[in-house]
Amino acid sequence: MSMSTNDLDTVFDDSWGEHHRSGMVAVVGRPNVGKSTLINRIVGEKIAIVSPKPQTTRKRQLGIYTTPDAQILFIDTPGLHAPQHKLGEMMVRDAESAFRDADLILVLLEVSTAPGDAERMMSERIAELHGETPVVLALNKADLLSGDELTAYAVANSALFPFAAKRQLVSAVTGEGVPDLLAQIIELLPLGPRYFPEDQLSEASLRFIAAETVREKIMLHTEQEIPHSVAVDIESYQERPDGTHYVSAVIYVERDSQKGIVIGKGGEMIKRIGMEARTELETMTDARIFLDLRVKVLENWRKDEKMMSRLGYRPPKEDE
Ligand code: GDP
Ligand code: MG
């Protein structure tokens, strides 16, 4: 695949029908519940890229699932379950931001055990934060139980999430229930275009991962000051013949004051964000990364676009 990355307009695929659905799904669940396994199962066979190095110790999982009728962007939301994050407000803020951008929240629970404090806390948070965004429950590890026991645990876990639109027993390991889960997710997603054409999926995945990684570092280090008004646009992502990846990104904020915060005193903050994002991307891609970051003020960008602007792609013009 060629890596010409400059013309964003050509990235938009217009070969989708009026019934096509698409959107971003925030995947939530505590560690070990099976998020990686599930995302790999869903995305792995289809396009092979979740992160370029699957099955590593990476916590974050991102994946694009494409069928003729739908495209789903799965994104892990570390705020609700990553122990390395500061707890409290930070956690809520991350989750809020992930939920605000998501078109659907997929909650993974382990149906092989009774729900505990972690699940109760998660349920309270999601109840507070999901707003209009539909919530789907995946009751994972259903292969470990059967009969009455399975039913009892399924009921106990589901009962904590009365606001969920759908519930589905699945096994990420055997694949049981996964097609039904996907069908339910797709049904709840808005009508919309295919964001990434099939032949550009791996490039799109790299861009998506790069943008999300930079955004995560911003959220992590800017505390309260930068709420939800950050968008990261990967202007270009080029793989050079020598294997080096050149990534050029623009961080959009809504106000001058926010620009100052992201850049920091003497450029300290932006350096830190860049260095951490670069290190993480190098681990994921196994390549040398040059990451160029710039910060621009764009007032009210979130009023026009949601996912599109976040990913750096433009919506079709009115007359198209
Ligand atoms: P994550 O921390 O939520 O990403 O969880 P992982 O995907 O890394 O899975 C944690 C462990 O649970 C791994 O050993 C998986 O093999 C196992 N696991 C995940 N899904 C299932 C499932 O459906 N059934 C069984 N039996 N094990 C599972
Ligand atoms: Mg995982």
Side-chain angles (χ1 to χ4, degrees):
M1 193 191 78
S2 82
M3 295 296 293
S4 72
T5 54
N6 292 325
D7 190 353
L8 289 179
D9 290 327
T10 63
V11 174
F12 219 168
D13 187 357
D14 58 5
S15 60
W16 50 283
E18 56 178 320
H19 301 298
H20 190 277
R21 291 180 184 273
S22 58
M24 195 183 286
V25 172
V27 183
V28 202
R30 58 173 178 68
N32 259 356
V33 73
K35 296 179 296 298
S36 301
T37 313
L38 182 68
I39 294 176
N40 279 339
R41 166 160 290 271
I42 292 170
V43 181
E45 296 151 23
K46 276 276 169 199
I47 60 151
I49 293 200
V50 174
S51 87
K53 271 170 77 179
Q55 309 296 359
T56 59
T57 52
R58 290 272 315 123
K59 278 167 208 79
R60 170 175 297 223
Q61 293 284 318
L62 301 160
I64 304 172
Y65 173 77
T66 304
T67 72
D69 302 319
Q71 188 167 69
I72 312 174
L73 284 75
F74 288 97
I75 175 167
D76 193 340
T77 56
L80 274 178
H81 48 77
Q84 90 270 20
H85 285 242
K86 278 188 241 158
L87 293 176
E89 296 205 21
M90 168 86 206
M91 199 157 135
V92 176
R93 210 162 47 96
D94 266 10
E96 269 175 6
S97 138
F99 287 180
R100 187 186 300 244
D101 290 329
D103 296 289
L104 187 142
I105 298 161
L106 177 64
V107 180
L108 250 75
L109 297 168
E110 220 168 313
V111 76
S112 49
T113 59
D117 286 346
E119 284 72 23
R120 264 184 287 279
M121 252 177 60
M122 202 162 77
S123 150
E124 279 167 27
R125 287 253 151 78
I126 296 169
E128 271 166 39
L129 296 175
H130 80 94
E132 305 280 294
T133 310
V135 176
V136 171
L137 286 190
L139 300 160
N140 193 34
K141 310 201 182 182
D143 57 292
L144 295 177
L145 296 177
S146 61
D148 290 347
E149 215 182 2
L150 178 62
T151 310
Y153 282 135
V155 168
N157 277 284
S158 302
L160 276 183
F161 296 84
F163 46 85
K166 300 272 180 190
R167 292 157 193 86
Q168 177 66 46
L169 284 170
V170 295
S171 168
V173 163
T174 69
E176 188 197 333
V178 175
D180 287 338
L181 177 68
L182 285 168
Q184 290 173 353
I185 290 172
I186 290 166
E187 208 172 289
L188 288 165
L189 287 180
L191 292 168
R194 183 181 283 187
Y195 291 100
F196 301 115
E198 202 104 43
D199 63 348
Q200 290 178 24
L201 278 176
S202 61
E203 177 190 325
S205 298
L206 285 173
R207 283 170 166 265
F208 184 38
I209 288 166
E212 279 302 319
T213 304
V214 171
R215 214 171 83 95
E216 184 197 49
K217 298 308 167 200
I218 298 167
M219 298 300 280
L220 195 62
H221 293 303
T222 58
E223 302 281 332
Q224 309 290 335
E225 298 96 325
I226 306 292
H228 310 291
S229 27
V230 177
V232 178
D233 179 16
I234 304 299
E235 282 196 325
S236 80
Y237 196 120
Q238 297 178 351
E239 282 182 69
R240 299 279 162 88
D242 68 357
T244 307
H245 297 198
Y246 281 80
V247 188
S248 167
V250 180
I251 298 166
Y252 286 108
V253 292
E254 288 186 311
R255 290 191 299 277
D256 270 332
S257 59
Q258 297 171 334
K259 182 175 172 177
I261 292 164
V262 172
I263 291 171
K265 234 186 235 156
E268 236 168 69
M269 180 60 85
I270 190 84
K271 253 184 234 155
R272 184 171 180 195
I273 290 164
M275 208 172 65
E276 287 187 16
R278 178 175 58 76
T279 308
E280 196 164 310
L281 288 168
E282 284 183 337
T283 309
M284 274 194 279
T285 56
D286 236 350
R288 197 148 174 238
I289 305 266
F290 279 87
L291 178 60
D292 175 44
L293 295 180
R294 271 163 304 137
V295 187
K296 285 187 189 168
V297 179
L298 190 64
E299 273 172 44
N300 294 329
W301 62 263
R302 59 171 55 253
K303 293 227 169 88
D304 324 307
E305 307 125 288
K306 195 178 164 190
M307 179 152 81
M308 300 302 285
S309 74
R310 235 191 93 182
L311 299 174
Y313 299 106
R314 300 183 188 113
K317 294 179 193 81
E318 293 281 274
D319 53 358
E320 275 174 1

